[in-house]
Amino acid sequence: ADLLILGGGLVGSALAIALDRHGISSIVVDPADPQAILAANHDGRASAIAAAPLRMLAAIGVTERLAGKGCPIQSIRVSDGLAPGKLDFDPQDGEGALGTMFENRHLRAALMAAADAAPLADVRMKTRAVSVERGEHGVTATLSSGEVVTARL
């Protein structure tokens, strides 16, 4: 592979998908159990995805998997608890939403499905790197599964 990615969460998965779109192969290693992290009761958090990163997710084919699962961010108010003052962010006329809120489990599901469909992304879940050796000509990792993987970077 061209690249070894340790961690297949939101960022690692998005990176593998983007690399695939540009003809760059990757191995993604993550210790998580997909069934557990996609369960509704695993993580009740949500993430605000700003407009520019949302366009990036669209460019790599992820947003079609998120259709109907987000809530547009029409306004943002920043304040300091009970202290006086506030800062409001509102889109200009014709700009659309400032971003979109998604439940993390929906983001994970969309990214994992897109990574699994990416032919140059070799996603290995439920395993971790127990040793990593970096050298002049690349990186070699021994996984908890006993497999040894190599990549240029």
Side-chain angles (χ1 to χ4, degrees):
D2 293 311
L3 203 73
L4 175 62
I5 302 169
L6 300 178
L10 302 179
V11 175
S13 296
L15 176 59
I17 299 160
L19 291 169
D20 175 82
R21 291 288 176 121
H22 290 281
I24 299 170
S25 63
S26 65
I27 299 171
V28 180
V29 177
D30 194 287
D33 177 348
Q35 286 187 321
I37 63 173
L38 297 177
N41 63 352
H42 172 72
D43 181 1
R45 295 178 295 167
S47 293
I49 308 298
L54 193 60
R55 287 191 299 273
M56 186 273 304
L57 291 174
I60 63 173
V62 174
T63 54
E64 60 202 34
R65 298 170 190 273
L66 291 167
K69 293 185 169 74
C71 175
I73 301 169
Q74 302 297 346
S75 180
I76 298 173
R77 172 168 285 173
V78 180
S79 64
D80 185 10
L82 300 175
K86 63 181 173 44
L87 182 60
D88 289 323
F89 295 92
D90 295 302
Q92 299 295 317
D93 289 337
E95 281 188 337
L98 297 171
T100 305
M101 292 292 298
F102 292 101
E103 288 182 51
N104 284 355
R105 69 187 176 105
H106 294 308
L107 283 170
R108 272 195 290 281
L111 286 162
M112 288 178 70
D116 285 341
L120 297 177
D122 178 2
V123 180
R124 299 173 187 223
M125 301 297 289
K126 298 168 70 172
T127 190
R128 69 181 69 240
V130 293
S131 72
V132 178
E133 295 178 28
R134 294 168 184 88
E136 271 184 57
H137 304 290
V139 60
T140 300
T142 301
L143 307 182
S144 58
S145 65
E147 293 176 274
V148 175
V149 295
T150 61
R152 292 176 32 204
L153 180 62

